[in-house]
Amino acid sequence: MDFRDILEKYKNGEIVLEEALSQLASLEIEEMGFASIDTSRQKRTGIPEVIYASGKTTEQVRLIVERMYEKGMDILATRVTEEMSEAVKTIVPEAVYNPLARTISFKHKEEICGNGYIAVISAGTSDLPVAEEAAVTARFLNNKVVAIYDVGVAGIHRLFHKWELIRNARVIIVVAGMEGALASVVGGLVDKPVIGVPTSIGYGASFQGLAALLSMLNSCASGVSVVNIDNGFGAACQASLINKL
Amino acid sequence: MDFRDILEKYKNGEIVLEEALSQLASLEIEEMGFASIDTSRQKRTGIPEVIYASGKTTEQVRLIVERMYEKGMDILATRVTEEMSEAVKTIVPEAVYNPLARTISFKHKEEICGNGYIAVISAGTSDLPVAEEAAVTARFLNNKVVAIYDVGVAGIHRLFHKWELIRNARVIIVVAGMEGALASVVGGLVDKPVIGVPTSIGYGASFQGLAALLSMLNSCASGVSVVNIDNGFGAACQASLINKL
Amino acid sequence: MDFRDILEKYKNGEIVLEEALSQLASLEIEEMGFASIDTSRQKRTGIPEVIYASGKTTEQVRLIVERMYEKGMDILATRVTEEMSEAVKTIVPEAVYNPLARTISFKHKEEICGNGYIAVISAGTSDLPVAEEAAVTARFLNNKVVAIYDVGVAGIHRLFHKWELIRNARVIIVVAGMEGALASVVGGLVDKPVIGVPTSIGYGASFQGLAALLSMLNSCASGVSVVNIDNGFGAACQASLINKL
Amino acid sequence: MDFRDILEKYKNGEIVLEEALSQLASLEIEEMGFASIDTSRQKRTGIPEVIYASGKTTEQVRLIVERMYEKGMDILATRVTEEMSEAVKTIVPEAVYNPLARTISFKHKEEICGNGYIAVISAGTSDLPVAEEAAVTARFLNNKVVAIYDVGVAGIHRLFHKWELIRNARVIIVVAGMEGALASVVGGLVDKPVIGVPTSIGYGASFQGLAALLSMLNSCASGVSVVNIDNGFGAACQASLINKL
Amino acid sequence: MDFRDILEKYKNGEIVLEEALSQLASLEIEEMGFASIDTSRQKRTGIPEVIYASGKTTEQVRLIVERMYEKGMDILATRVTEEMSEAVKTIVPEAVYNPLARTISFKHKEEICGNGYIAVISAGTSDLPVAEEAAVTARFLNNKVVAIYDVGVAGIHRLFHKWELIRNARVIIVVAGMEGALASVVGGLVDKPVIGVPTSIGYGASFQGLAALLSMLNSCASGVSVVNIDNGFGAACQASLINKL
Amino acid sequence: MDFRDILEKYKNGEIVLEEALSQLASLEIEEMGFASIDTSRQKRTGIPEVIYASGKTTEQVRLIVERMYEKGMDILATRVTEEMSEAVKTIVPEAVYNPLARTISFKHKEEICGNGYIAVISAGTSDLPVAEEAAVTARFLNNKVVAIYDVGVAGIHRLFHKWELIRNARVIIVVAGMEGALASVVGGLVDKPVIGVPTSIGYGASFQGLAALLSMLNSCASGVSVVNIDNGFGAACQASLINKL
Amino acid sequence: MDFRDILEKYKNGEIVLEEALSQLASLEIEEMGFASIDTSRQKRTGIPEVIYASGKTTEQVRLIVERMYEKGMDILATRVTEEMSEAVKTIVPEAVYNPLARTISFKHKEEICGNGYIAVISAGTSDLPVAEEAAVTARFLNNKVVAIYDVGVAGIHRLFHKWELIRNARVIIVVAGMEGALASVVGGLVDKPVIGVPTSIGYGASFQGLAALLSMLNSCASGVSVVNIDNGFGAACQASLINKL
Amino acid sequence: MDFRDILEKYKNGEIVLEEALSQLASLEIEEMGFASIDTSRQKRTGIPEVIYASGKTTEQVRLIVERMYEKGMDILATRVTEEMSEAVKTIVPEAVYNPLARTISFKHKEEICGNGYIAVISAGTSDLPVAEEAAVTARFLNNKVVAIYDVGVAGIHRLFHKWELIRNARVIIVVAGMEGALASVVGGLVDKPVIGVPTSIGYGASFQGLAALLSMLNSCASGVSVVNIDNGFGAACQASLINKL
């Protein structure tokens, strides 16, 4: 039931004004006291409610998963610990834990629905946890994903090795720490949107990813936008919205 | 005995000048060597002496509680560890430990004396430790508190779900990490003072709460002021002073 | 006409669904292409639409004032240049320009409606532009204001000179640059809410007010909240909301 | 002539090895000593060579425009001064100067080729120079653009006034200073990619746009990516690539 | 043997030129491969070589102490762990470990040689480790020290309680975290040099002491200088030099 | 009349309680509305009230000088413009304007009262405005001053050229921009207190003096304390207090 | 086989166009899925592929070493844990683990090929891990290395003790934390390139090496360049390239 | 006359001890009161005394040039205004003013003495002032220079266009603003030392060159070191020392 339905019912006299106002307010929320699950997020924004486990207790994660599972929703939790993954599996035994990406996920049905594929490129092996978070999330959102790892600009020919795969993607996620130059180099060579994900990998003056973040924001290549440091999840969401256009 | 009393006694010859100066200086301090308990703070500022346990040893916390308890004062310690809470209970067995808020408290008498209630709103479940610190503190200061959790702007309709509760508060505390936009959105919709508490929750470029702090300080809504990152305690103190006007 | 009115009309068949949705959306906005004047802000938030002139052209300011004046609204523009004030006076000749505060204002009727008065305290003479912005704004919002200037902690006895005036205020705005310690000192002595306004005054490592901002956010006095650097306007809005409780 | 052509010719013996290497290197560059115009950028990246005038002398801008005009290229220069616009018009009299956006542009043929339209939303009137730079650029890149200005979250109902226009866009650019919350609010309500452009508008602790930048990077809405502060140009480029998918 | 002695000997033919140059270079250094002990530092700068244990291994600390002890030097090591203190005691059993100050020290002879005493004032109990480091160091450098703890500005009358002790000091060290206002308040009331030591104590936006550091650097009281965050040692050195003038 | 006098009078019945409280509060302040001149500062802190002209209008500076001159006080204003100096001279024609130091000053009587002299050392010629501010201030405070300029560590032998002058000072002010290493080098060679003044001179990553500030705060020489960037005035005040011990 | 070879073969008809393009792309990469080993880096840049272990799992390090060892490459891994070193030794038992430098390395043949030697100078004993990383790396790259430790400017004569060794080096690496002044002092005294390596050693306001970094970047000595904080490896690479000129 | 000469004379009785000490101290300084010209810098460090005009008055620059010219020294002043260049020409009419580089220079004799040439590469036309400062300085220091401008990574094939020129340089200076990726890309392709010069060119979040600075410091290519933002002079000095090895 959505906004128009409520107004229609109200007009038809099926509900009174107070009821209408109340229904408008309670549209598709699952109340849990410490959490309010946004069950209409998928319909509204194209991306379902996902659990960001950082800062939550294992018990909170477990309870949210339980409620979402009861409501028939697909499950994706990011930044989970191994302990959290164990707790989730007591409820959804078939959930898949990816220790590198720090995710646990479960889908009722696998499907691919984007118009092409998303390329996830990482500059170094140390960037893999973030790249994997992006890949796992993009697949959870029903996109085809191609992963291309360890092709940073210190050996730029490695990038050309996978050139066809990159050019043919519909949208490209570039995951890089240190100076993050890979985003500019890729952005200067393709005619597809590039989403940069700076990572917190690097020596001291990377300042936990600030260097790569500023670098990508200042890209001289004009088709590059940026998400938060280490936020593979956010990049995949943005890429998924684009891939489904 | 206060400032005027001392001057009066001095005039009446009950005490000599040196005595008067000395009494002025020693007005209501409880000396402990490593600590000087400000026993007149409640009367002077409306907020009693509270123990900020961070950076103190368990033994120091225990000794301060012991002295305050002997003096008949109510007890609130924030940022306590479980070990500290155990130590406090050896002195005040009925003290209440709240592990989420990281507080331990004891009041000789519960009472409610503000002119309305304080709403404590959190953007996400991960912001709960700070929101709970605010709620515990506000209740300790004799305010009625209504807690409304996990209503951040990613699903803004969740906020409207609790709209009446929010509008009717006398003062509103908004606890939010990440981009902290909730403070602006609430501030733009109500005619009550809003106190923003940025939290240190978020991906890399939240820089331990700096993003939310700057966001709230730059709120385009004009009735918003801000306290320190993760400082639920300070927000509750300010809110309590307002609620008692 | 507000939300409930529109729903009521719709139910009575006076308007159709599309009309209802449209009316809901266009509730009290004054469209100007480059600006959308929020004519219901006063009713909704207790603070009317005010023009922040920084970044706007003189012509834009003039046009907005013209439209607001036609709609019978009171006028306050902050951060105006002298040129802007001249342009405004061609429309509202009786508008008052305060060059120190950089404001221009006009009210159809003066009135005082708060429950007490707002004290505006400045640490130094160099902080006056910000303090005056706060005072002008608070008066525009119908509050009684008492201004107490140049009483910073380098000569703390100056503060005590005006002590009764400070203690008796209902809410206190402290405007200070350099190290901003005045907010803590005042906050540690009164039982009223203190709103700190850091200013950009100071030697190099004030970093345009960052030092005072951090200082006030870290106030060891617990009843202090803070607004943006040099934001006298915002402090006055918050103080006005509190004063009218 | 491109990479494959050169290799083909070389194989057929039309050119010798040294010639092939030389041709590979000189592929579509227009050498000017102080500048190397990238004439193949349009074909390679979907976005033509554009002149970023900041830091260049008027004479340098004039010479680059002259050369590009001789080569039959379309012209867009951003961050131009009025003096620069006059100099450009001596060469391309029909070029259009937009003083608000600080752009000068000329196209041989107007056309619209994206699959939908790009919505450019600004939070405040002060954000207009950046929003206009985005709109001018997006139109230069052959996109249909819809501009929606001054709908920031301090009066969030202004946003809903233009709701249909926003929802139906193919990609959305949100331009906002101060706390930049508009990006999160829009991102939480639509299923289209949102590109945030933080602006340098705001009081002191906006730190020339840092507050809005961090705010948008930390957006709790998951479909938001970000470009550099005040970089309307970059946002339009990214949006254009997406709109043409 | 110092610079003039070497030249004199050289002139008298007791040593040849190469020998002179070599002796000049090796003036009072104790070579240990991984360390070069500056045995003439006391004579040259008034402060002896002290071991900063942070970043050193326990074994390195032990070896340096051993060598210094063999050379008859007094021992002070700061930032020592308990393990390091145990290792030092195997060499100098009578060395005194102060776990709060994190120091271990040994003097061949106690003496007091300054012209007055150094007051070490701390704002809060949580600042004690730094205040104690300052007190231990100042005593090691043969100064009389008076410690006055927990007298921060949230209860400014606590400061006046110890007023005579403070005024009569020859130099005053103020140790404070959070907003560090105590340095300004003391500096505005006395005619003695005040050395501020910001500490890393505080909520989030103290940024590990940055807030207190900037606050003290921006002190509106003119007789305040500042040392590094948490650097009680450095403050004591500076105070000792002043006290011995 | 001071604190004790007031209490004495009160006791003898010469004044009533209200009068006593009022007199205590108004002790030696010169009220000017926009300014409160602290006429007892000299007696209380050893440093007289000085006018920091930055952020004040020329008229405000003129009025303060006029009042102070009427009260028979010596005059020092820092950070004055040429226009301000002209305005001051209309009141105190014999006042001395130092355009390099940006000061204007007037003393009723010259005298030297410290126990030695203050050395003011600058690293480069570009640091002279700050060094001169320090020298002018120190002389105003009745100290003998020796200025030693342009002896930075890029040519460290220049420093040794003036070695005797430096060693024999009672306290040393080191003014340096860029990397500020001069403070450490001097501090490592003398047994006198060194006060570092970082300046805002340098290439981009000096960040307006931040580099020199951090460098001096982190000095490995232990007898160095620091004042604000470009704050020659503050360094001279601290040095004067030390010199008069 | 390099670029020219491939083109030559293609011309001679030995390979077809598609084959040529493919070969160009796959030039000397060793594909491992999670890593792409750049086997031609030595030839291309003068520095072989080295493993930066930070952020990699022990298993990833082990697998990369295994593959490189199979290919006959020399092995250097930096930032290794003890666990990693054990894993590497299961493959290359003769590999040398340096726990202070946190490196493990193996060379098939030792040789010295630079034109002089590299001096590695450290300011303090606490800087040794970084200095050792530089020394290990420089030796791995076949350079002669002379290490000179603990000669910081607090006792500048220690530096002169080793003066001949320093002057005669072909290139000098200066490793220093705290204020990093040693780089300027050395740079001001020699006619050889100096490479500064700031370290993260120091009290609070060193901000994990930021102070030393800014200090070295702002060196008033003109022959100093800088690498990342704690990046002994990078300094050694640059020094090696210079030494082999 | 140098150190050894003075000692020798002293030994031979030609000068007495006091004379020797004095001569040691005054070794080759040209005293001017506000400046101490380091006339031995060329011999000591390989780079002569150069005038950094920023922060100096025109008169100071003129006087220093006058003195240096009298002493027969070559002249280079950087960061000069046009007014300064006019003043210099009144003394040295044949001095060459480069308005783009903001330099004025004069050499008694042109010569080339390095072992190869220095390549100065700039990413964009806006970076030219810094690149030209580097080129002018390097030529002043008797190096052959090859300038290659506007070859940034947004069109990376422009770089290959000048590939032979780059590879054959003895040392390479890369001047780049925005994200500064060019330094990494070049560094990953050559076996020569690369010196990065970040420039302050770019949109808001370049933060006046901070982005490019951090990017270059974090270069994943290992043969890159960095100098200060916009410091073309410093890069040329370092390059010259290397080129002359």
Side-chain angles (χ1 to χ4, degrees), chain C residues 118 138 143 171-173 195 234-244:
Chain C
I118 297 170
N143 297 280
V171 51
I172 299 165
I173 294 172
I195 301 169
C237 290
Q238 172 80 307
S240 176
L241 291 178
I242 295 173
N243 190 34
K244 291 177 184 169

Side-chain angles (χ1 to χ4, degrees), chain E residues 41 45 47-48 227 233-238 241, chain F residues 187-188 219-225, chain G residues 154:
Chain E
R41 189 170 291 179
T45 71
I47 296 164
V227 296
F233 168 73
C237 290
Q238 170 82 306
L241 291 178
Chain F
S219 175
C220 55
S222 44
V224 178
S225 67

Side-chain angles (χ1 to χ4, degrees), chain A:
Chain A
M1 188 158 56
D2 69 9
F3 197 68
R4 283 172 170 260
D5 295 340
I6 295 170
L7 288 182
E8 204 67 57
K9 269 193 182 170
Y10 167 65
K11 187 178 180 187
N12 301 341
E14 295 174 50
I15 55 176
V16 294
L17 180 62
E18 278 64 31
E19 180 67 11
L21 287 173
S22 166
Q23 285 193 10
L24 281 170
S26 64
L27 262 176
E28 296 179 81
I29 299 166
E30 196 61 30
E31 277 289 338
M32 299 184 65
F34 66 91
S36 308
I37 303 172
D38 182 359
T39 49
S40 68
R41 188 170 291 179
Q42 165 78 52
K43 200 164 96 190
R44 199 174 67 247
T45 71
I47 297 163
E49 174 85 87
V50 169
I51 303 162
Y52 174 61
S54 180
K56 295 193 176 66
T57 63
T58 297
E59 182 60 8
Q60 289 173 336
V61 171
R62 196 187 64 76
L63 287 169
I64 297 173
V65 167
E66 189 173 54
R67 184 70 67 95
M68 289 174 75
Y69 192 58
E70 284 166 19
K71 303 287 291 186
M73 299 169 73
D74 288 344
I75 308 288
L76 173 62
T78 63
R79 308 293 161 111
V80 296
T81 60
E82 188 157 350
E83 185 191 285
M84 287 173 179
S85 83
E86 292 307 320
V88 169
K89 285 186 175 176
T90 62
I91 298 164
V92 193
E94 61 273 58
V96 178
Y97 174 51
N98 181 329
L100 190 55
R102 292 157 301 164
T103 54
I104 190 158
S105 58
F106 167 76
K107 286 179 72 75
H108 290 86
K109 198 179 82 176
E110 297 291 336
E111 59 183 322
I112 297 294
C113 65
N115 294 314
Y117 62 84
I118 297 171
V120 177
I121 308 178
S122 88
T125 300
S126 301
D127 302 314
L128 248 66
V130 178
E132 279 291 293
E133 186 184 84
V136 165
T137 302
R139 288 189 186 109
F140 180 77
L141 298 173
N142 299 327
N143 297 279
K144 187 176 167 196
V145 173
V146 172
I148 301 164
Y149 292 158
D150 198 19
V151 292
V153 301
I156 207 171
H157 61 297
R158 296 181 296 189
L159 185 66
F160 299 126
H161 184 55
K162 299 288 181 73
W163 198 237
E164 288 306 301
L165 271 176
I166 294 172
R167 280 201 82 88
N168 292 332
R170 198 145 196 263
V171 50
I172 301 163
I173 294 172
V174 174
V175 180
M178 295 188 166
E179 93 284 58
L182 187 60
S184 289
V185 171
V186 171
L189 289 169
V190 301
D191 60 353
K192 299 293 165 39
V194 171
I195 301 169
V197 191
T199 74
S200 51
I201 290 298
Y203 287 88
S206 85
F207 295 119
Q208 286 78 54
L210 179 62
L213 171 63
L214 292 181
S215 182
M216 289 181 179
L217 284 167
N218 283 281
S219 175
C220 55
S222 43
V224 178
S225 66
V226 185
V227 297
N228 205 336
I229 296 166
D230 290 338
N231 189 0
F233 168 72
C237 290
Q238 172 81 308
S240 176
L241 291 179
I242 295 172
N243 191 33
K244 291 177 185 170
L245 284 178

Side-chain angles (χ1 to χ4, degrees), chain H residues 11 34 45 50 73 82 84 114 117-119 124 163 174-175 199 202 204 212-213 233 244:
Chain H
K11 187 176 180 188
F34 66 91
T45 71
V50 169
M73 297 169 75
E82 188 158 351
M84 287 173 179
Y117 63 86
I118 297 171
W163 198 236
V174 175
V175 179
T199 74
L213 171 64
F233 168 73
K244 292 177 185 170

Side-chain angles (χ1 to χ4, degrees), chain E residues 138-206:
Chain E
R139 287 187 186 110
F140 179 79
L141 298 172
N142 299 327
N143 298 278
K144 188 177 165 194
V145 173
V146 172
I148 302 165
Y149 292 158
D150 198 21
V151 294
V153 301
I156 206 169
H157 61 296
R158 296 180 297 188
L159 185 66
F160 298 126
H161 185 57
K162 299 288 181 71
W163 199 238
E164 288 307 299
L165 271 175
I166 295 171
R167 279 203 83 89
N168 292 332
R170 198 146 196 264
V171 51
I172 301 164
I173 294 172
V174 175
V175 180
M178 295 186 165
E179 92 285 57
L182 187 60
S184 289
V185 170
V186 171
L189 289 168
V190 301
D191 61 353
K192 299 293 166 40
V194 171
I195 301 169
V197 190
T199 73
S200 51
I201 290 297
Y203 288 88
S206 84

